[in-house]
Amino acid sequence: MTTGARSFILALLFVPMILLSASAVFLEERLDDPEQEARARDISADIRCLVCQNQSILDSNADLAKDLRQIVRERVALGESDDKVREFLVTRYGDWVLLDPPFKLSTLFLWLGPVLIFIIGAIAAFMFLRGRNRRPDAEDTSELTADEEAELKTLLDSETDVSGHKP
């Protein structure tokens, strides 16, 4: 049997497993009413998975995300509005559970933090680059004192190069 044939057979064996694992996430989580199911999915798309943190509970495979999806579906099935369902989750888990948290005092740093970090970095870069490119002004250069001039003259007079001549 050739290497190509082995690879093909292995691929045929793994394709069904991949397809089954991809479709297994939401099989048990459907509401009978398509309108309620659509609402539950819309709400779930806006709720953060508390395990994954950068995924919605709709996209996450975590057990907690599955539990949260179930809570959303139960509340939608009970006839609660979208806002009431979100309010329940925020009351239980805080604003952190929302992928798009509201702008208020408790989330101020969350919204303004990146801007503040950028401004601080820009100021630091400006100061660093300004300090590197600064040239000494005429006022900054200092004259030698009389003692320093005498010492320099003595050093220059005492120096001789290899041939015995003064520089």
Side-chain angles (χ1 to χ4, degrees):
M1 185 180 275
T2 65
T3 307
R6 286 184 199 153
S7 298
F8 182 73
I9 291 172
L10 282 174
L12 286 177
L13 291 174
F14 284 115
V15 167
M17 288 185 237
I18 292 170
L19 292 176
L20 287 174
S21 68
S23 65
V25 177
F26 300 110
L27 289 179
E28 76 285 354
E29 303 177 6
R30 303 241 186 241
L31 290 172
D32 294 334
D33 183 2
E35 186 178 312
Q36 286 182 337
E37 178 63 26
R39 281 186 49 220
R41 285 181 170 272
D42 287 343
I43 295 169
S44 296
D46 295 334
I47 304 299
R48 179 188 316 272
C49 174
L50 301 173
V51 175
C52 307
Q53 297 182 4
N54 280 337
Q55 281 186 313
S56 70
I57 60 172
L58 188 63
D59 300 327
S60 176
N61 292 332
D63 289 336
L64 180 59
K66 180 180 174 186
D67 294 343
L68 289 173
R69 285 191 300 266
Q70 189 60 39
I71 289 171
V72 168
R73 282 183 169 79
E74 287 172 2
R75 295 202 163 262
V76 167
L78 290 173
E80 289 187 11
S81 69
D82 295 3
D83 291 335
K84 284 286 186 189
V85 175
R86 284 186 187 93
E87 182 181 319
F88 172 79
L89 293 171
V90 167
T91 301
R92 197 169 191 184
Y93 298 104
D95 288 325
W96 172 252
V97 78
L98 300 174
L99 278 173
D100 190 16
F103 187 81
K104 58 186 185 181
L105 189 59
S106 63
T107 60
L108 188 65
F109 185 72
L110 179 67
W111 284 98
L112 299 180
V115 174
L116 291 174
I117 291 169
F118 176 76
I119 290 171
I120 291 169
I123 290 171
F126 175 75
M127 292 176 68
F128 173 75
L129 293 174
R130 192 177 117 212
R132 265 182 69 196
N133 294 332
R134 183 179 292 169
R135 294 184 183 160
D137 295 336
E139 300 170 14
D140 292 341
T141 59
S142 58
E143 298 291 326
L144 295 176
T145 63
D147 291 337
E148 290 172 337
E149 280 187 35
E151 186 178 343
L152 182 59
K153 186 172 183 338
T154 306
L155 287 172
L156 290 174
D157 288 343
S158 67
E159 270 189 31
T160 57
D161 62 11
V162 177
S163 63
H165 295 91
K166 291 184 180 179

